[in-house]
Amino acid sequence: MMSQRRSGILLHPTSLPGAGGVGTLGNEARRFVDFLEAAGQSLWQVLPLGTTGYGNSPYSSYSAFAGNPLVIDLAAVAAEGDLAPGDLWIDLPDEWVDFEAVKDHKLPLLRRAAGSFFSGSAGKRLEEFWHFCDTTYWLHDFALFMALKEYYRGKSWCQWPEEIAFREPSAVEEFSRKLGQAVGEHKYMQWQFFRQWHRLKDYANSKGIQIIGDVPIFVAYDSVDVWANRHLFHLDEHGKPTVVAGVPPDYFSKTGQLWGNPLYNWPEMAARGFSWWVERMRGDLGLYDMVRIDHFRGFEAYWEVPAGEKTAIHGRWLQGPGDDLFNALRGALGDIPFIAEDLGVITPEVEALRDRFGFPGMKILQFAFGSGPENPYLPHNFRRHCVVYTGTHDNDTTAGWFDSLSVRERKGVLSYIGGGGKDIVGDMMKAALASVARMAIFPLQDLLGLDSSARMNVPGKARGNWSWRCASGDLNYGARGRQLRELTELYGRLPK
């Protein structure tokens, strides 16, 4: 993990501006990289890039390996001849993402592009495509899974006929042939996603920008990961989870949080050398320069809740894979540049696991006030080997957070941060940049000084999240960019 002091911005690609109703990996993404470079930033953090299901959460994906086709830049697809330029225009909101409308517009176009690609004279691109297929071991299972989801009108895999739900070889072969066109279309979409992403990452790296990815610890039940690897999860003979993930009751929730994800069969994972995790991390480290591991504490111990419970109250702590998993990852992949999401109630055992492998933890300034000078999120308690944020995708914007505080709470913040409260967001960012933390990262909403209407996610809210987009003018290098560069230089975080 780098020792140089650095800083950067948190922005998911779907939140980029541009035509088509959703941010993409095209020119606006490169404009954002240029903005980061001009503002003296060297980090770009994104949320998980997987293809999403109900609720459009990046943390609930149909695959831990595949990419989201909604962020494919159609202009680049058209430039290569797979679409006509006139196909691209559509009147969708610029200010927020209407995910259903984007899907209804974009996915049929990508299928049309695939048909054009396969029926035309693609030449070297076709060779590139087949090489991608031959070297991407998870691709056929994913493409078949998505084709089956469409064939069975969105039903969960456990509701499919038993022979294909349980992947009888003859059924897999039959449906691979029967749904061959749809399977090919999904492979084409993944090929386009990965080639566009790698071009964008190469561009960012050429500008001195490193990309931080995000890996959820758990996977969705209705995913190819579970369908194709039932033996790696705690499922009954019907393929249903016997236990699910969550966190126990605490100060914030009397009933805990019942996430419902299937839990890993860690002994079986260990018996197989953690090969599924090794391949998952191999893929992610090919996409990113660093990886934030969500819910890191679950690797030391995790909360197991019997399936069918309505809350997370009646669960129990079980030992996670701990050192064995990270030793396996290190043995297979070498140095693993992870950031440990160690927020919430963290035990000494979790901290010890994090520190044994040298992973930096996270500090959130919005959590720093109201519990005395020993609060670990106050900057004077930081250690150098950490990453400080004003807030994350799960927090309110800093402006919205401060506005929600009582008069007494605001006074407590201002007595520590200083600045008089005229620019509380700028003062909070300055406190983060001035701290000893090796890395400081800010949501773009905070750099722009936006209120709660720009919040990315409200945990526990089923719909309406993840849809915020910035405006094209927000990426112009103006007063905000100059101020950020000056502060970044002042506090020794400019790239060397």
Side-chain angles (χ1 to χ4, degrees):
M1 186 64 65
M2 66 186 68
S3 58
Q4 178 187 339
R5 287 168 61 78
R6 292 193 170 194
S7 59
I9 298 294
L10 167 63
L11 179 70
H12 196 49
T14 59
S15 295
L16 286 161
V22 67
T24 74
L25 307 179
N27 289 334
E28 293 289 355
R30 285 167 175 76
R31 278 192 63 215
F32 179 62
V33 169
D34 294 342
F35 172 85
L36 291 174
E37 181 190 29
Q41 305 309 293
S42 53
L43 301 170
W44 175 11
Q45 183 168 330
V46 299
L47 306 181
L49 291 174
T51 180
T52 59
Y54 176 79
N56 304 299
S57 170
Y59 294 88
S60 180
S61 175
Y62 289 129
S63 169
F65 295 83
N68 189 347
L70 296 187
V71 299
I72 292 173
D73 176 29
L74 292 182
V77 175
E80 292 183 316
D82 293 347
L83 285 173
D87 292 333
L88 306 186
W89 187 88
I90 186 173
D91 186 16
L92 287 174
D94 293 329
E95 302 83 10
W96 60 286
V97 184
D98 183 339
F99 282 102
E100 296 310 309
V102 170
K103 290 174 186 176
D104 290 344
H105 169 69
K106 198 161 193 173
L107 295 181
L109 284 179
L110 287 169
R111 293 189 181 96
R112 186 189 306 175
S116 176
F117 173 77
F118 290 125
S119 62
S121 54
K124 289 185 178 180
R125 288 199 305 135
L126 191 59
E127 293 179 16
E128 180 189 336
F129 169 79
W130 286 118
H131 177 74
F132 174 75
C133 294
D134 291 341
T135 56
T136 308
Y137 85 95
W138 52 263
L139 182 62
H140 184 76
D141 278 341
F142 170 76
L144 178 59
F145 177 85
M146 295 304 293
L148 285 163
K149 287 284 292 181
E150 294 161 1
Y151 184 75
Y152 289 113
R153 300 178 180 273
K155 290 182 179 180
S156 174
W157 65 265
C158 65
Q159 296 175 298
W160 301 345
E162 185 173 320
E163 62 271 16
I164 190 61
F166 285 82
R167 293 176 54 85
E168 294 179 7
S170 60
V172 170
E173 182 179 352
E174 176 188 350
F175 277 100
S176 295
R177 183 173 57 253
K178 180 178 180 179
L179 304 179
Q181 178 177 334
V183 169
E185 290 167 353
H186 284 287
K187 290 181 179 180
Y188 170 85
M189 294 181 207
Q190 290 303 305
W191 173 63
Q192 285 287 14
F193 170 88
F194 278 91
R195 68 203 296 258
Q196 289 193 10
W197 173 259
H198 283 296
R199 288 171 181 172
L200 176 60
K201 181 178 181 295
D202 289 345
Y203 183 78
N205 290 166
S206 75
K207 299 284 187 175
I209 312 297
Q210 292 201 310
I211 297 181
I212 302 174
D214 197 330
V215 175
I217 181 175
F218 298 120
V219 300
Y221 172 68
D222 189 21
S223 68
V224 63
D225 308 300
V226 178
W227 177 63
N229 302 280
R230 296 191 314 278
H231 56 289
L232 298 180
F233 299 87
H234 286 293
L235 308 178
D236 63 19
E237 66 273 17
H238 303 294
K240 299 292 184 68
T242 57
V243 288
V244 295
V247 290
D250 57 20
Y251 175 81
F252 300 101
S253 173
K254 294 180 179 179
T255 59
Q257 297 178 43
L258 186 63
W259 297 335
N261 305 78
L263 288 171
Y264 299 111
N265 185 336
W266 285 118
E268 182 66 20
M269 288 263 189
R272 295 170 180 265
F274 299 101
S275 58
W276 185 87
W277 270 96
V278 168
E279 293 307 318
R280 183 184 188 185
M281 289 297 100
R282 192 191 307 278
D284 283 317
L285 293 176
L287 288 174
Y288 314 113
D289 299 294
M290 285 178 278
V291 173
R292 169 192 179 272
I293 301 292
D294 194 45
H295 195 59
F296 177 80
R297 74 103 54 247
F299 293 108
E300 195 284 322
Y302 58 94
W303 188 248
E304 177 191 272
V305 182
E309 290 287 330
K310 302 300 182 183
T311 72
I313 292 176
H314 301 296
R316 60 174 180 166
W317 286 110
L318 290 178
Q319 198 67 35
D323 288 24
D324 291 344
L325 171 61
F326 294 111
N327 282 328
L329 292 174
R330 181 177 285 177
L333 305 173
D335 181 44
I336 40 180
F338 289 167
I339 295 170
E341 188 272 286
D342 54 352
L343 306 176
V345 181
I346 301 300
T347 66
E349 291 79 9
V350 177
E351 294 176 341
L353 176 64
R354 178 198 66 199
D355 294 345
R356 279 197 299 275
F357 289 89
F359 303 148
M362 292 174 56
K363 303 296 181 184
I364 311 299
L365 284 187
Q366 289 185 24
F367 296 166
F369 307 99
S371 59
E374 295 183 358
N375 186 315
Y377 298 107
L378 284 168
H380 68 258
N381 291 321
F382 290 0
R383 60 179 189 171
R384 288 183 173 84
H385 198 49
C386 72
V387 188
V388 59
Y389 299 76
T390 45
T392 72
H393 61 278
D394 282 335
N395 295 109
D396 200 347
T397 65
T398 295
W401 163 79
F402 189 73
D403 286 346
S404 72
L405 300 180
S406 67
V407 172
R408 180 181 178 183
E409 289 170 329
R410 290 186 193 183
K411 287 182 178 179
V413 173
L414 294 176
S415 67
Y416 187 93
I417 296 295
K422 294 182 178 180
D423 180 16
I424 184 61
V425 180
D427 292 335
M428 290 276 281
M429 291 176 62
K430 186 183 297 185
L433 289 166
S435 75
V436 299
R438 292 291 188 197
M439 290 178 274
I441 297 175
F442 314 108
L444 183 64
Q445 294 96 315
D446 283 356
L447 179 62
L448 301 176
L450 301 180
D451 62 20
S452 297
S453 64
R455 183 169 182 169
M456 190 64 165
N457 179 50
V458 179
K461 180 182 174 184
R463 298 183 64 85
N465 291 319
W466 317 109
S467 61
W468 178 79
R469 296 183 75 190
C470 64
S472 184
D474 292 335
L475 302 186
N476 294 333
Y477 182 66
R480 292 188 184 92
R482 287 192 295 273
Q483 182 184 25
L484 179 58
R485 184 180 181 92
E486 290 169 1
L487 290 173
T488 301
E489 183 174 17
L490 177 63
Y491 294 114
R493 295 185 185 274
L494 272 186
K496 296 180 181 179

